[in-house]
Amino acid sequence: MIREQLVQVLERGKESAIQIRRLIDHHRRRRRQDVRDDHDVDDGCLKLKLKGQVDAHSLEVLTSFVTALSMIHYNFPSFDDHHDHDHDHQGPIKRPNPTIKSRVFGDWEAPHTPKDPRRSCKRRKTEQPVEIETSNMDDGYAWRKYGQKVIQNTKHPRNYYRCTHKTDQGCQATKQVQQISENPLKYKINYHGHHRCKNPLKTPRVYNLDLIDDQDDSSKLLSFEKLPNNPKHGLNPILFPSSSSSSSSSSSSKSTPSSSSSPMCNALVEKEYKPLMHEIPSEPSDHHHEAYIQCPSSSSSDLTTTTFASDDVISLAEVYSSAVSPYNVEVDYSYMMAAEYIDFSQVFQDYS
DNA sequence: AAGATTTGACCCAC
DNA sequence: GTGGGTCAAATCTT
């Protein structure tokens, strides 16, 4: 059973990787064609659109890996042992005896000693951190700073963050952020542990996605913001076509999503919108809503349900990902991992 | 007042 | 003994 799920998750990642390849090839061909035909090419617009599409697919690839690894770590803890021994060239890790120490999502907890409460929090990190370099400090998660340390041979101090939900939900995710000396505009971020909290994201996210219908040029974003013209349920799911040519016309008479803080938002939300989703009228909640999701290309009977926070602005891809996740609810949140984790500078080098 | 940040001290691995 | 990760009280911010 686990094996099938694992294959399924990885297959999805593979499919998305193929899509990325196709998108880039398609973009290259189209560009060559435009140059050959002597057409004016709005390169900036094209690049933005391609980036959005690649963003979405790369998110799926990343999610596939994260989900698969989580499944492996969770279901095959013995695999971790072999894995560590194989890759640790400094000799075998002195791992505590599992019979007396508990395993918590890849980290080994020290035994609890009431005399020294601090010691119970010390643990040996056996899991390799995920290391990225980025100029964007904000990865969308809610972090709380708990320390700062001057590290040898570095110009800037290292900052330590833990998930905001460590205390209320026991989330083990932490990250270390350090400014890179050679390039102060960039940060090296090490992520430790996985988010196990129910609501890891601090703000709604917006992605520019064109992956629902390749012929249709529009991206589709769903807003769950409360609008005055729908007082009954307080929910007004909206489909925003995003094939905008001008930059900012958020002053549209119609409503815009609540997460206007997103830099992509104004560019995306412009033209008239039309309802796509049908909310479930029963039990409206202040915080979460269930919603029927209908794929534009599917028949009307083909509906799935999912739940999102009332002020979420999310992409259809996230909805689909959430709805079809074969694993469990925890995994669903990994679909919302920050797209910024991927460095696209290489991908788009060709087009700059 | 509650939540976030700062910062010196503590603790563990090396 | 030292460096780095974490704690927790004090302080700041909202």
Side-chain angles (χ1 to χ4, degrees), chain A residues 183-201:
Chain A
N183 187 357
L185 293 175
K186 282 204 161 189
Y187 302 89
K188 190 169 94 178
I189 305 180
N190 277 303
Y191 290 91
H192 297 264
H194 303 293
H195 284 279
R196 299 280 160 180
C197 46
K198 281 183 182 170
N199 46 344
L201 296 176

Side-chain angles (χ1 to χ4, degrees), chain A residues 44-281:
Chain A
C45 187
L46 275 177
K47 269 194 284 186
L48 183 70
K49 183 165 172 279
L50 178 69
K51 186 174 186 301
Q53 293 173 322
V54 173
D55 266 347
H57 285 301
S58 65
L59 195 65
E60 188 68 29
V61 173
L62 180 65
T63 299
S64 165
F65 286 141
V66 170
T67 306
L69 284 170
S70 296
M71 290 168 74
I72 289 169
H73 287 309
Y74 190 77
N75 292 290
F76 309 108
S78 59
F79 177 83
D80 293 355
D81 292 338
H82 299 301
H83 180 81
D84 286 345
H85 287 302
D86 286 348
H87 295 276
D88 187 358
H89 300 294
Q90 296 163 357
I93 289 174
K94 283 179 273 178
R95 178 158 285 169
N97 183 348
T99 56
I100 57 169
K101 297 182 181 180
S102 61
R103 175 132 210 278
V104 183
F105 300 126
D107 295 331
W108 288 96
E109 259 187 0
H112 179 67
T113 44
K115 280 182 187 173
D116 186 357
R118 278 191 170 195
R119 184 162 295 182
S120 65
C121 299
K122 291 282 177 185
R123 67 214 160 133
R124 186 190 170 94
K125 298 265 187 191
T126 55
E127 198 173 335
Q128 287 291 312
V130 176
E131 183 182 314
I132 64 158
E133 282 184 18
T134 179
S135 52
N136 184 7
M137 283 267 283
D138 184 10
D139 57 13
Y141 287 99
W143 299 100
R144 182 160 170 178
K145 190 174 176 181
Y146 67 85
Q148 177 174 316
K149 193 93 181 173
V150 175
I151 304 299
Q152 266 196 339
N153 304 321
T154 60
K155 223 153 95 180
H156 309 282
R158 180 175 297 171
N159 294 308
Y160 299 87
Y161 299 85
R162 61 171 173 75
C163 178
T164 301
H165 304 293
K166 183 184 178 179
T167 45
D168 58 339
Q169 294 178 40
C171 183
Q172 296 289 318
T174 63
K175 71 170 179 179
Q176 301 173 1
V177 179
Q178 182 146 24
Q179 234 170 323
I180 298 170
S181 308
E182 301 80 48
N183 187 357
L185 293 175
K186 282 204 161 189
Y187 302 89
K188 190 169 94 178
I189 305 180
N190 277 303
Y191 290 91
H192 297 264
H194 303 293
H195 284 279
R196 299 280 160 180
C197 46
K198 281 183 182 170
N199 46 344
L201 296 176
K202 65 175 179 186
T203 53
R205 318 184 59 98
V206 177
Y207 299 114
N208 182 4
L209 305 174
D210 290 7
L211 45 101
I212 307 305
D213 183 353
D214 215 22
Q215 290 89 42
D216 185 350
D217 222 13
S218 60
S219 293
K220 298 161 183 72
L221 299 170
L222 298 170
S223 170
F224 289 81
E225 74 169 336
K226 288 180 180 178
L227 297 175
N229 60 350
N230 188 6
K232 191 178 172 187
H233 301 125
L235 176 67
N236 218 359
I238 296 167
L239 168 65
F240 296 98
S242 74
S243 52
S244 56
S245 48
S246 62
S247 54
S248 63
S249 59
S250 57
S251 54
S252 155
S253 61
K254 295 185 177 174
S255 298
T256 54
S258 54
S259 70
S260 54
S261 56
S262 164
M264 298 195 73
C265 207
N266 286 345
L268 292 174
V269 181
E270 179 181 352
K271 296 188 174 175
E272 67 172 323
Y273 52 79
K274 60 191 180 211
L276 169 79
M277 301 170 59
H278 315 277
E279 63 185 299
I280 297 171

Side-chain angles (χ1 to χ4, degrees), chain A residues 313-326:
Chain A
V313 175
I314 54 174
S315 71
L316 275 183
E318 283 177 4
V319 175
Y320 292 146
S321 298
S322 175
V324 302
S325 169

